[in-house]
Structure formats: structure tokens, C-alpha cells
Amino acid sequence: MAGIKERMLNARVQTLQVARSHLPAVHFLVDGLLWVVAIPLGVWFRYDFGTSHVTFALVPPILYALLLQGVIGYALGQYRRKWRYGSFDEMRMIAITAFSVGFILSVALWWDLSVPRSVPMLAAAVSLLGQVAVRAVWRSYVEKRRRPQGPDVQRLVVIGAGEAGTQILRTLLATTTGPYVPVALLDDDPAKRNLRISGVRVAGTVGNLAEVAEAFQATAALIAIPEADSSFIRSVDQVANEAGLELLILPPVEKILGGVGLADIKPVSHEDLLGRHPAEIDPVAIAGYVTGRRVLVTGAGGSIGSELCRQLVRFEPAELLMLDRDESGLHGTQ
């Protein structure tokens, strides 16, 4: 059985390798078909949408365009897998290739009166638009297929649409086996309202966390602001607790080397809430002046005071008095 699975896996790998080796030819075929369409469209535009000049006289210019597209595209690396498919670098190269083909075609056909002199550059613009559209649609399709899916994947609200938020968002969307899928962004910057990053929209401000999480059926929130201070983290933690969300965080900016990734995500700790490293506690010394005594804790309804009360109970004080002006918080601690 193991041998059969191994052979099937090897066959799948070989199939993928063959498919990838044929991608440049497929790309050229698509770009060539766009030129076959672009030149007749250029003539159609030139003669005010008339079809009488779209004849077999356009066959030689089309063949020239195909030859030039192949030669220039190969020379610039477009058909040598030199650029990531659909990337900005490749978009720049296909623009250079398309207008180079149009310019050379214009010079070559300058004295050929059967083809208007404006047609090659019009066709170059049409071909460029088609090539960009094809790559954009394909890249969007691939990115959607890479998104994490499954019953165990948590829907995540990302707090912060800055550089760190953008990086971690794209990393999560490109990790097919990842545990989180971002569904919404939150940011307090008014300039980022309704901004979309990789298809994920800024759906509100940090104060809208509970409403946005409910609207998008999210079960977790991530603070993607490495420079966030402890007071901000505590305020978000309180809202997340009330909304029943798991709160995650990225490390401080000084601990992030070379960008952020999936491994940098971690649950919020007491260190994050306090804004400092936890102090080393001597349980024996504490027990000496807490056990059997009456202890008063002020601010017992807050996140720090409530945790302090939980820890003090372990040392068996004679009486634990909890004081806070927030009656709801005090009731929750009790």
C-alpha cells in the first residue's frame, strides 16, 4: 500500500513538473491570440467601428506581431519564468513588450497603405489590456484557491491595516493549511476606510470589533500592530472577552526580523497586558505574610486586579476583600 501511494505521489509530482514546463508556451499562446484579436480591433476602431477594412490583408501584420511578441517577450524573460506570473514586475515587462511590438510594427508597415499607421499602436494598447486582464483574473483565481478552508479554520478579524497587517494578511491567505482565514480588517485611520487588501475590506474601527466579528462570524481577533502599547492591548482584550473572541497578537517590532509570518502569531499573555516582563515571585515569602491574614485588593474588577485575586486565593488568606467602583467587573471577578 505504501509503495502504491509513493508511486501515485511521484506521478503527481511529475505531472505538475510537466505542466509547469509547458506554462511559458501557454502564456505565449494566450498573448498571441490577443494580438490576433487586437489588430482587427485596431482597424475597427480606426474606421469608426466599420468592418469593411477588416480583411485578409491583416494576416501579414498579425504574423509579424506574433513573431515580435515571441522574440521580445523571450528576450525580456516573459517566457522564461523570470518574473512571477501576474506580479508588478511582469506587468512592467509585458507593457514594454507590447509597445515595443507596436512601435516596430509601425515602422515596418509605415509605407504599407493597406494598414493605417495608427493601427499598430492601437493594437498594442488592446493587447496590453488583454494580457493584464488575463493575468489579473488568473492570479485572483489562484489566490482564492490557496485560501485556508475547512471546518477547523478560524475566521479572523485583523486589527491594523498597516505594513504588518498587510504582510500577515497576505501570508495567512496564501497558507492553504493555515489555522486562520482573515475575513475583515479594522483600522482607526479614516483614510483607510473601505480599503481592500487582497480582497479583505477594512470594515470599521477598533471600537467596532464586536459588531464586525458578529457580522463576519469571526471567532478570533489578531492585533497586527507590533508597536501597540499595553493599554491598547488591554482595551482590545476586554472587548474581545466580552464578544467571546480569542485574542492573538504579534511580537513587538524589535523582535520581528525580516517581516511577519504565521509563526509570529501568539495568544495574548499577561506580559502583553502589563507591558513588562512578569516579576519573579517567591511563593514561600508570599505565603508568610498572606496566609491566615485579611487581604484587601483595590481595583479587583479589572483584568490585573481580578487575576491578582485568583492568585491570592491560592495562599489561603483568612479573608479576601475585593474593592472596585465597577460593580459589573467586581461581580465578574467574584
Side-chain angles (χ1 to χ4, degrees):
M1 182 65 70
I4 295 175
K5 288 183 178 180
E6 184 177 355
R7 286 195 296 271
M8 291 177 63
L9 180 61
N10 291 335
R12 184 177 180 183
V13 171
Q14 291 176 359
T15 302
L16 289 173
Q17 290 175 345
V18 171
R20 288 175 179 174
S21 66
H22 287 82
L23 278 178
V26 174
H27 295 168
F28 172 69
L29 178 62
V30 172
D31 296 343
L33 288 175
L34 287 169
W35 275 105
V36 172
V37 174
I39 290 179
L41 277 178
V43 174
W44 187 58
F45 290 146
R46 170 62 180 80
Y47 288 104
D48 298 329
F49 313 115
T51 59
S52 59
H53 292 82
V54 181
T55 64
F56 286 103
L58 300 180
V59 172
I62 291 175
L63 295 178
Y64 294 151
L66 293 176
L67 177 62
L68 290 170
Q69 177 69 30
V71 171
I72 297 174
Y74 185 83
L76 294 178
Q78 192 172 332
Y79 305 121
R80 287 184 289 150
R81 304 290 304 276
K82 192 173 181 180
W83 315 106
R84 182 186 176 193
Y85 192 74
S87 65
F88 176 78
D89 291 327
E90 191 190 33
M91 296 297 178
R92 182 178 57 188
M93 286 301 105
I94 66 174
I96 294 174
T97 301
F99 284 112
S100 297
V101 172
F103 176 76
I104 296 173
L105 206 59
S106 295
V107 174
L109 300 176
W110 188 260
W111 303 109
D112 186 355
L113 300 181
S114 62
V115 179
R117 292 170 178 172
S118 60
V119 167
M121 295 309 293
L122 282 173
V126 173
S127 175
L128 173 60
L129 182 62
Q131 292 181 53
V132 170
V134 167
R135 283 160 173 80
V137 170
W138 177 253
R139 182 167 178 177
S140 177
Y141 170 74
V142 170
E143 287 180 349
K144 285 184 179 180
R145 290 200 61 182
R146 285 178 180 171
R147 294 189 176 189
Q149 296 179 358
D152 297 330
V153 176
Q154 286 187 272
R155 296 172 68 83
L156 183 71
V157 176
V158 178
I159 301 172
E163 185 62 30
T166 301
Q167 286 186 32
I168 196 64
L169 176 74
R170 289 174 175 165
T171 299
L172 291 172
L173 290 175
T175 307
T176 308
T177 57
Y180 308 107
V181 58
V183 294
L185 285 159
L186 297 178
D187 202 290
D188 289 339
D189 185 355
K192 295 178 181 177
R193 185 175 301 171
N194 295 322
L195 174 70
R196 287 184 180 270
I197 300 175
S198 298
V200 181
R201 182 172 63 90
V202 176
T205 63
V206 179
N208 304 127
L209 175 58
E211 295 89 342
V212 171
E214 183 179 1
F216 287 88
Q217 299 180 340
T219 57
L222 169 66
I223 300 178
I225 308 174
E227 66 276 11
D229 57 23
S230 57
S231 61
F232 177 80
I233 297 173
R234 286 196 299 270
S235 64
V236 176
D237 181 63
Q238 184 175 357
V239 176
N241 286 332
E242 293 173 354
L245 300 173
E246 178 187 3
L247 185 61
L248 307 166
I249 196 171
L250 294 177
V253 66
E254 65 270 11
K255 294 184 180 180
I256 299 176
L257 300 177
V260 295
L262 187 59
D264 294 315
I265 298 176
K266 66 183 184 71
V268 170
S269 63
H270 296 301
E271 179 182 343
D272 299 317
L273 296 173
L274 294 172
R276 61 180 183 272
H277 293 284
E280 295 294 332
I281 296 177
D282 185 355
V284 177
I286 294 176
Y289 59 82
V290 171
T291 303
R293 296 193 176 187
R294 301 176 68 193
V295 180
L296 171 66
V297 177
T298 60
S303 57
I304 298 174
S306 60
E307 181 61 28
L308 184 59
C309 291
R310 296 187 192 98
Q311 298 300 326
L312 287 171
V313 168
R314 296 166 47 200
F315 298 103
E316 300 180 355
E319 192 173 0
L320 179 61
L321 305 176
M322 296 183 293
L323 177 67
D324 200 300
R325 62 182 179 181
D326 183 357
E327 185 177 349
S328 298
L330 192 59
H331 177 74
T333 303
Q334 186 179 4

